[in-house]
Each structure stands twice: as structure tokens, then as C-alpha cells.
């Protein structure tokens, strides 16, 4: 009923389709990779978090990001960068390698506001013994934050940790204050956001990628 196509007439068409497919696949893969990268980055309340953050020669991955809310007011957005993504807070805090917490202000603050809030949150997240042990380092980082002066909405703050070196703070890419030594101090700081008594439970869930 239907005419039979001979192999000689079908072959050129088959070859053409194969060539077209071979050209299309790399383009599709590249486009897919671009989409995946774009989806990995996050935008929260106008605050942008790249999918990766470079520290030295190592590229860290965005584990999660969310918003610190106090009395229904959005205070800041925060994102956690680590060598390996994980959904367990203890695993994230105990993970080796550099780490960084990016904070983007969602309202105007002063350095004093920032410092006082950090000290109160540290006391809530850590035991009395740990507070006493880390008091000199708490005073150091409080002094760094007091030096911020007036901090405008949209300001980007990074609290960076380098193993064997310590914790440093940058504001809009500019280093502020001295580096604070001690690997264990950064872990104690992270308890503010990831510990058993976090500053904001919803933000904790967002940082571990559970929201």
C-alpha cells in the first residue's frame, strides 16, 4: 500500500539528522549547564548570593541562604559557603576547610547595633564556660564591628574563616580590623546561626538547605 524507501534514498536523510543531532547536543548541554548555574545562585529580598565564593585558591559552594527576621522586620539576609554542601548543622560546623558567612543588610544599622546583637547571640548559642574562654576574641570581633560606623542597607559583610589562620571580616570587599586567631572560635560563632539555640530557627533551616 505504501511505497518502500530504498536504502540509497534514506541514507542521506539519516546522515543529515545524525549530523544535526551531533551539533545540537553540545549546545543543549552547555545551555543546561548555564541554567543549572543560574538556579544555584539565589536572590532573597533583593540580596544576591552567588553559587560559589572564592577564598584563596579554593572555591566554596553556597549551602543555603535565608533572612534574619526580628519582630516581623527583615534585618539581613545570610548565606553560608562551605567546601562540601551538607544538610546537617553539626556536619557543616565540623567540616574541614575554609568557610564563609555572607551577610547582606536589609535595613540601615550602626556598627554598635551589629556588635551588640552579635554578642547577645553568641551568649545565647554558647555555654557560660565557652563565653568565658572566648571573651578576648569576642571583644576583638566586637571592636571590628563597632568600627563599621553607619552601615547602609545593601552593605555586604563576609565573615571568613581560614584553617590554621583565623577569622576575618570584610565589608563590601574591604578588610576590616585584624584577623582573629583560632579555628575553634569560628565554630563557636557559627553556633549563632547553626547551633542548638540559633538566633533564628527559620534562618538556620534555610542555611542548611532545608527550606
Amino acid at each position: 500500500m505504501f511505497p518502500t524507501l530504498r536504502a540509497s534514498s534514506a541514507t542521506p536523510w539519516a546522515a543529515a539528522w545524525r549530523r544535526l543531532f551531533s551539533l545540537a547536543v553540545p549546545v543543549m548541554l552547555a545551555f543546561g549547564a548555564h541554567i543549572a548555574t543560574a538556579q544555584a545562585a539565589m536572590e532573597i529580598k533583593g540580596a544576591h548570593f552567588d553559587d560559589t565564593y572564592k577564598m584563596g585558591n579554593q572555591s566554596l559552594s553556597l549551602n543555603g541562604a535565608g533572612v534574619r527576621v526580628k519582630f516581623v522586620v527583615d534585618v539581613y539576609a545570610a548565606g553560608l559557603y562551605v567546601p562540601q554542601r551538607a544538610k546537617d548543622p553539626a556536619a557543616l560546623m565540623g567540616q574541614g576547610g575554609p568557610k564563609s558567612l555572607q551577610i547582606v543588610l536589609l535595613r540601615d544599622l550602626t556598627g554598635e547595633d551589629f556588635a551588640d546583637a552579635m554578642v547577645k547571640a553568641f551568649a545565647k548559642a554558647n555555654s557560660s564556660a565557652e563565653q568565658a574562654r572566648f571573651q578576648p576574641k569576642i571583644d576583638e570581633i566586637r571592636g571590628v564591628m563597632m568600627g563599621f560606623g553607619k552601615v547602609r542597607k545593601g552593605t555586604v559583610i563576609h565573615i571568613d574563616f581560614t584553617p590554621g589562620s583565623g577569622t576575618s571580616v570584610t565589608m563590601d570587599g574591604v578588610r576590616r580590623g585584624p584577623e582573629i586567631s583560632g579555628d575553634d572560635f569560628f565554630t563557636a560563632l557559627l553556633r549563632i546561626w547553626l547551633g542548638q539555640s540559633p538566633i533564628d530557627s527559620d534562618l538556620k533551616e534555610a542555611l542548611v538547605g532545608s527550606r
Side-chain angles (χ1 to χ4, degrees):
M1 182 179 295
F2 297 100
T4 302
L5 289 174
R6 289 179 298 189
S8 59
S9 61
T11 300
W13 285 102
W17 277 110
R18 281 197 297 270
R19 284 196 298 272
L20 180 61
F21 184 75
S22 67
L23 291 172
V25 167
V27 175
M28 293 167 64
L29 289 175
F31 182 74
H34 173 74
I35 293 298
T37 301
Q39 289 175 337
M42 297 180 70
E43 185 120 358
I44 302 174
K45 303 281 185 176
H48 181 78
F49 296 88
D50 290 330
D51 56 327
T52 59
Y53 175 67
K54 194 85 167 179
M55 279 188 65
N57 60 359
Q58 185 164 351
S59 183
L60 306 181
S61 299
L62 178 63
N63 196 78
V67 176
R68 161 65 172 140
V69 179
K70 184 176 181 180
F71 303 128
V72 306
V73 175
D74 295 335
V75 182
Y76 60 79
L80 178 64
Y81 290 88
V82 292
Q84 297 291 329
R85 292 188 180 97
K87 290 188 176 293
D88 177 62
L92 287 167
M93 288 189 288
Q95 187 177 131
K99 304 179 188 73
S100 181
L101 186 79
Q102 176 181 325
I103 295 172
V104 183
L105 294 192
L106 300 178
R107 59 188 295 253
D108 292 349
L109 291 174
T110 66
E112 185 175 5
D113 293 333
F114 208 91
D116 289 347
M118 188 275 301
V119 171
K120 289 177 183 177
F122 190 96
K124 178 185 176 184
N126 292 276
S127 68
S128 298
E130 287 168 325
Q131 291 176 57
R133 180 163 71 95
F134 289 119
Q135 191 59 54
K137 299 182 187 299
I138 295 170
D139 292 340
E140 281 188 69
I141 197 166
R142 184 179 188 279
V144 172
M145 293 175 174
M146 287 288 288
F148 287 172
K150 192 171 183 67
V151 192
R152 299 288 185 182
K153 177 181 178 180
T155 298
V156 179
I157 297 167
H158 271 276
I159 304 175
D160 294 338
F161 167 68
T162 304
S165 184
T167 301
S168 60
V169 179
T170 63
M171 187 167 72
D172 287 337
V174 178
R175 174 81 168 268
R176 303 301 295 263
E179 188 171 57
I180 302 166
S181 63
D183 291 10
D184 51 356
F185 178 60
F186 186 79
T187 301
L189 273 181
L190 271 188
R191 290 193 193 108
I192 292 175
W193 297 275
L194 301 180
Q196 295 297 317
S197 300
I199 192 171
D200 188 313
S201 56
D202 288 338
L203 175 55
K204 175 182 175 178
E205 288 185 21
L207 291 173
V208 300
S210 298
R211 290 174 63 90

